[in-house]
Amino acid sequence: AEGCAGRMQAAIDSMAFADSGTGAVLKALLTGDRSGITEDISETFRISGASHILALSGLHLGIINITVRLTALQQLFMSSTV
C-alpha cells in the first residue's frame, strides 16, 4: 500500500490491541482495507445492521482525500498567481 492509506495501515499494524479484530476493523474504517476482517466480525456487523459502515468508509476516505488534494492545489495555484 502506498501514500497516506499505506502509512495509516502500517501505523495500525504497529499498535497492540487487546482484541485481535480491533486493528482489522480500524483499517477497514480508516482506509477501506477489509482484508483483515474475519467472517465473525462481518457477521456481527451484518446482524447489527452496521455492515454498510465498513463498505462506505473506504469511499468516504477517497472523497476526503480528493477534496483535500483539490483544495491544496487550488491554494497553491491561487498563491502563485498573486
Side-chain angles (χ1 to χ4, degrees), residues 2-42:
E2 299 175 9
C4 182
R7 289 189 299 273
M8 194 174 297
Q9 288 173 352
I12 292 168
D13 287 340
S14 71
M15 296 177 192
F17 297 103
D19 180 76
S20 61
T22 303
V25 171
L26 276 177
K27 280 202 280 189
L29 293 174
L30 297 175
T31 69
D33 176 10
R34 295 177 43 189
S35 64
I37 299 292
T38 64
E39 186 62 37
D40 290 339
I41 293 171
S42 291

Side-chain angles (χ1 to χ4, degrees), residues 19-68:
D19 180 76
S20 61
T22 303
V25 171
L26 276 177
K27 280 202 280 189
L29 293 174
L30 297 175
T31 69
D33 176 10
R34 295 177 43 189
S35 64
I37 299 292
T38 64
E39 186 62 37
D40 290 339
I41 293 171
S42 291
E43 180 76 6
T44 301
F45 271 84
R46 188 185 62 73
I47 290 170
S48 69
S51 59
H52 65 283
I53 293 171
L54 293 177
L56 293 177
S57 61
L59 172 64
H60 290 139
L61 184 67
I63 291 169
I64 291 168
N65 185 358
I66 289 171
T67 303
V68 168

